[in-house]
Every structure is written in structure tokens, then in C-alpha cells.
Amino acid sequence: MKGRKDLLDIESLSVEEIRFLLETAKPFKELIRQSVKKMPPLRGRQVLTLFYEPSTRTRSSFEIAAKRLSAEVTNFTVSTSSVVKGESIIDTIDTLQAMQVDYIIVRHAAAGVPNLIARHTRASVINAGDGHHAHPTQGLLDAFTMQEVVGSLGGRRVAIIGDIQHSRVARSTSMILRKLGAEVGVFGPGPLIPEERHGDMRSFRSFEEVLAWAPEFIYLLRIQMERQKEQFFPSLHEYHRFYGVTDERLEMIRDRGIYVMHPGPVNRGVELVDGVMTYERTLINQQVENGIAARMAVLYWLQPETGLRSE
Ligand code: CP
């Protein structure tokens, strides 16, 4: 299937493109589990990671994914760059463009920055998370992980729990799941699940109501203190009591065979108790591993306008 120049959100992907990316990720997952983990399609290509916000999983898995495809990778460290001298995003991008970079992977606190960059460069731009807006490769790796354990997502039930308001993960993951035919419900503190964010998705009033709905997956979101300008719940202790996976709820989840997911990093004792991390149907590490395969599929599919790819 013909690739696009950029990957900025899930909204703009067709169902066919999503299915193509998820299928493409499968052989890449097999590849990264082999002793020789490299293949040549991006040989000679230059990938640059440009993270204005911290990241462990996304940045390192993009770097690994690019190297598995034989690309050269440069990690642009914002804190030691001319950005701290006041260089604008557009001037930074012009500079990188002059260095003939082919792919720019960007994370920024402001929604829309990856779109702005994409309009100013011939390089392929991948959104690695922008503000509250989107985190499309997280959506892809989540859908890929769910498909691995249950097959088709048509008619599957997924409950997303937590800070829907500030979560780009909730937006991208709920969007891809619904495009693939899953039913998505949301639960969290009232002010963190505003109507405009959950739209026509089902919402719940208690964790017990979520479990009674019989979801196949519970997807816990990280509480993002860094994005909350006001207090939306009394304390982290109260949050855990009402919205977290407690020991008691973990037993109910285990009895029902529900899979548990989280994009990371987890706040232990807030979104979940330690026991969730060793529960046999917790998919958190599988999500991380699949992040490499999903990002390889994206890099393989995109078509930068910087030159012809050597196949
Ligand atoms: N899930 C995710 O985006 O994690 P990082 O912030 O560690 O990249």
C-alpha cells in the first residue's frame, strides 16, 4: 500500500491503512526476536528524534526500530541545543532540513507542533505525542497487542480508565479501537471525562459498573500531574480508592480473565497495585516490545520527499 509522507494522528488514517500497518508489524515482531535483528530497507536514510518532552519507551523504541531497518539515527537533545538560546521550532526545522534528514520523530507539549513541522519540511514527520492531542504510534501498538491476544477486535469491549481529558493516548487508542470495530467505554473522575472528549462512548459511574460491563481489556491511563493546572480529585489516595486497580479489584479482574494494559510509565499505588505488574494477563511489557514492531512498520511505510528509497 502506498505510504503517506507523515503520520500525525489516527483520525487521518483509513481502516485499510491501519490494517496494513498492523499486518506489516507482524513479521517485524518475528525479526526483532531473532538473533540477527536487522534488515536493509532504510539503509542510507537519516532518522532524527526531536523530543521536547521526556520519554523512555517511545524515543528508545523508535531508535531501535530505525536501526533494525538499517537507518542512521541522531537523537537531538533539546536541553543542550540552540533551542535553549531561543531558536524557534521553524528555524530548528530549517536547520535540520539543510542536513538532509529523512524522518523527524517529534514530541512536544503543544498540540499541533508535529503538523506545523510537517508543513515546513520534505522529511517524513511522525508525531510521538503532542500535548493532549495525539500519540498515533501508541494507538497502533495498543491495537497490535490486543489483536495478538484476542484476534479480531470487532465487538471487543475495552474500558479506558483515568484522565481522559489530558490523555493523547486515550484519544489515539480509543480512535483506532473504534475504527477496528471495538466498543470503548470510559471511566474516571467526572472533570477528567468531559463530554466533548468521550462523545458517544459509554461512560461509567463506578469501577464495579465497568466490571459488570464485562470488558475483555481494562486500559489504565497514567495520571498526568504535569498537565493538570487544577486539582481534579482530592488526593492520589482517593484516586486509587475509586479509580485504581486495588488488590480486591485485581482478584475480580483475575476471576474474569480480563487483560490489563497501561501505556507507561505507571504510578504504582495510584493507577494500580504492585500485583498487577505480575498478573498473568497484564500486557504492559508486551506493549513495550510491540512498540518496536509497530514503529518499524510506520517507518517502513512512510515516504519522505527527500529522495528515492533504495529498496
Ligand atoms: N507510552 C509512552 O509514551 O511512554 P514514554 O513517555 O516513556 O515514551
Side-chain angles (χ1 to χ4, degrees), residues 51 54-59 107 128 135 138 169 263-265 295:
F51 278 55
S55 166
T56 296
R57 290 149 203 80
T58 313
R59 179 162 160 165
R107 172 172 285 189
H135 193 349
Q138 182 72 45
V169 173
R295 290 171 176 130

Side-chain angles (χ1 to χ4, degrees), residues 52-304:
Y52 288 82
E53 280 193 325
S55 166
T56 296
R57 290 149 203 80
T58 313
R59 179 162 160 165
S60 51
S61 65
F62 262 119
E63 180 173 354
I64 293 168
K67 286 179 173 169
R68 296 285 173 262
L69 295 170
S70 304
E72 306 284 325
V73 182
T74 301
N75 292 309
F76 181 96
T77 308
V78 171
S79 60
T80 55
S81 73
S82 291
V83 169
V84 294
K85 299 176 201 161
E87 190 164 32
S88 72
I89 287 175
I90 295 306
D91 288 345
T92 303
I93 295 306
D94 281 347
T95 304
L96 300 174
Q97 167 103 355
M99 296 180 195
Q100 304 300 328
V101 166
D102 299 300
Y103 300 82
I104 299 173
I105 299 160
V106 62
R107 172 172 285 189
H108 200 283
V113 166
N115 302 59
L116 176 75
I117 294 173
R119 287 198 297 272
H120 279 84
T121 176
R122 295 189 302 279
S124 282
V125 175
I126 305 173
N127 182 359
D130 61 331
H132 303 176
H133 173 228
H135 193 349
T137 56
Q138 182 72 45
L140 284 163
L141 76 89
D142 288 337
F144 183 82
T145 303
M146 290 179 189
Q147 282 192 352
E148 265 189 335
V149 294
V150 297
S152 165
L153 295 182
R156 304 289 182 180
R157 289 185 170 176
V158 183
I160 301 182
I161 299 178
D163 181 355
I164 307 295
Q165 160 84 347
H166 300 97
S167 176
R168 56 198 178 205
V169 173
R171 193 179 175 102
S172 289
T173 295
S174 65
M175 177 74 60
I176 195 167
L177 295 179
R178 296 174 85 210
K179 283 192 176 212
L180 294 172
E183 218 182 314
V184 180
V186 293
F187 173 54
L192 295 179
I193 47 170
E195 187 66 31
E196 67 275 14
R197 287 291 276 206
H198 72 81
D200 59 350
M201 284 186 280
R202 180 189 288 256
S203 65
F204 303 97
R205 284 166 297 179
S206 70
F207 213 116
E208 288 57 46
E209 228 180 64
V210 172
L211 294 176
W213 184 54
E216 275 98 349
F217 298 92
I218 283 181
Y219 195 105
L220 304 168
L221 297 171
R222 182 175 71 87
I223 283 298
Q224 300 185 64
M225 293 305 180
E226 72 276 19
R227 294 196 208 286
Q228 294 182 15
K229 295 190 179 59
E230 52 187 292
Q231 203 166 342
F232 291 103
F233 44 86
S235 67
L236 294 178
H237 175 74
E238 293 296 304
Y239 181 90
H240 180 63
R241 203 168 132 223
F242 290 106
Y243 309 104
V245 176
T246 58
D247 287 314
E248 194 183 24
R249 290 186 186 127
L250 178 56
E251 282 318 301
M252 292 190 261
I253 286 168
R254 180 177 275 122
D255 286 348
R256 292 164 165 85
I258 299 170
Y259 293 97
V260 178
M261 299 176 72
H262 189 300
V266 301
N267 294 305
R268 288 178 186 239
V270 182
E271 297 107 39
L272 48 81
V273 288
D274 285 351
V276 174
M277 302 305 280
T278 50
Y279 165 49
E280 56 279 11
R281 290 204 164 193
T282 289
L283 302 174
I284 297 173
N285 287 336
Q286 199 168 321
Q287 288 172 268
V288 173
E289 183 180 5
N290 289 341
I292 298 173
R295 290 171 176 130
M296 285 173 81
V298 169
L299 286 165
Y300 179 81
W301 179 62
L302 292 179
Q303 294 287 334

